[in-house]
Amino acid sequence: MDAPSIRSICCIGAGYVGGPTMAVVADRCPHIQVTVVDLNAERIGAWNSADLSMLPIYEPGLDEVVGRARGRNLHFTTSVEGAIAAADMVFISVNTPTKTHGVGAGQASDLKWIEASARVLAKAATGHTIVVEKSTLPVRTAQAVKSILEAGPAGKSFSVLSNPEFLAEGTAIRDLENPDRVLIGGESREAIEALAGIYGQWVAPEKILRTNLWSSELSKLTANAFLAQRISSINSIAALCEATGADVREVANAIGADSRIGPKFLKAGPGFGGSCFQKDILNLVYLCRYYGLEDVASYWEQVVTLNSWQQHRISRLVVNRLFGTISGKRIAVLGFAFKADTNDTRESPAIQVCKDLLEEGAMLAIVDPKVREGQIAIDLGKPAGQGEANWQLLGSVEAAAEGADALVLLTEWEQFGQINWPAVVSVMRKPAWLFDSRAKADGAAARAAGLNVWTLGEG
Ligand code: NAD
Ligand code: UGA
């Protein structure tokens, strides 16, 4: 049997994955109608905004792709059931956060949004529908999805595929347009080839990998665990570098030159953030325990433990260097997003570092080119305010530095590499410090302008 030709796609979930992924599919496949649905009307409204700078997600290049396809064959709507009924293929790209209560709380994935998606699919789909798991899921979730679909009304049929997404935020469009690989797991050859045919419009055939369902689901958790493990590994060595006089960037360079190790994901920093690394490793840990593999679970758990240690280590260090107290002192925080080139703050190391500094009574002056004040208020659990143990969002490094004892650089935004140090230092209270957790600032220029400089991983 030939692979069915797909003319209409629906994607449930217009978030960081659903939005950009479907925008690229629509851009590359003008013959397919792509409809992205979400229950969040405000988010859908933002995707439909006439002003492309108001899209709900900031990603370099996203506005151009959306601008080309939207209204032609890319649509955003809250009419979930109508879009499902019209689709030959439905992607599920909803959130799968860590459970906060009940069995597995703190580790297992909360699959309630996946289940809700499967139930609405069972109800609204017509004819034969290929269902694609795009969300990151615990291995064997496809079994649960199939059970729900099969228990729905008669007269319809489904094939379930796993097609995890490997894009990183900040480079989402580049990653989607030129992926290292596309992974498709499934049981139905026709369904696999139908999805491969879509990616085949722009991805080289040898990059499209086909596996069974469970290998595909587990490969996604494993990829994130390996990436996060490299970061915890290099961060652990950074601390040892500081203690011994070695320099973690020189060490990373030296080990990364070994082709078996490779140079990527060896940047020491304030600890990994983002919505996925921690949740996916904790999910892996939960699965290992569920299958009785206690030693394997503890091995992966340590990657997360070291990451939180790294975040707390930075705030403790700031307090120590500022004579053991930061109560009532102004501290400028450079960067709040979990990495550069995104407005996403989920699990950003800046959240923990700022909470620690506020707990010590500091006055924080935060600067971030993309994160909005309302988001910081949610993350820090309090609105902006003046005085001790409060925070404000400022528009420039110079404004944040006014009267500050220290600058703490937490996100590697390009602009923090181009600070006018004499101007900034002149408005700070002395002795003044720069704590650079990303080695992004020009440390030599900052020192020359009169700052004490601490750079993470530099002995
Ligand atoms: P997100 O929270 O940004 O978006 C999910 C969207 O799904 C939300 O807008 C929510 O309103 C919507 N939604 C939830 N239930 C719904 C329902 N029943 N009907 C309609 N809409 C519904 O999440 P995200 O960052 O896009 O992540 C989605 C999945 O992709 C997660 O499993 C995540 O682990 C995975 N992933 C994320 C990234 C990333 O960079 N963010 C990368 C790869 C994989
Ligand atoms: C990560 C993976 O890279 C993607 O492949 C995956 O699809 C995604 O998670 C997901 O499943 O959500 P993302 O979290 O968007 O992507 O961004 P990364 O570039 O991986 O950065 C994650 C965190 O690690 C950031 O806080 C970043 O600053 C930090 N990091 C990254 C380092 O500290 N050092 C490095 O060398 C690399």
Side-chain angles (χ1 to χ4, degrees), residues 413-435:
W413 286 103
E414 203 44 50
Q415 66 193 68
F416 299 149
Q418 290 146 15
I419 292 171
N420 177 350
W421 285 109
V424 166
V425 176
S426 70
V427 298
M428 294 179 75
R429 189 167 82 154
K430 313 295 176 323
W433 279 87
L434 166 66
F435 299 94

Side-chain angles (χ1 to χ4, degrees), residues 17 136 165-171 175 181 220 223-224 227 231 234-235 263-277 279-280 337-340 347-349 410 412 438:
V17 169
T136 301
E165 184 49 60
F166 296 100
L167 68 80
E169 290 179 28
T171 53
D175 297 342
R181 79 310 207 178
K220 173 63 195 179
N224 274 359
L227 290 169
I231 301 172
I234 200 70
N235 283 343
K264 292 183 182 165
F265 264 69
L266 288 179
K267 281 205 191 85
F272 55 76
S275 61
C276 292
F277 279 171
K279 107 173 146 55
D280 291 348
F338 83 96
K339 63 187 277 196
E347 303 295 337
S348 177
L410 296 175
E412 73 284 22
R438 299 275 190 176

Side-chain angles (χ1 to χ4, degrees), residues 15-17 38 43 94-96 113 136 165 169 279 346:
Y16 282 86
V17 169
D38 205 295
R43 211 166 206 186
V94 299
N95 35 321
T96 51
W113 293 275
T136 301
E165 184 49 60
E169 290 179 28
K279 107 173 146 55
R346 291 178 290 180

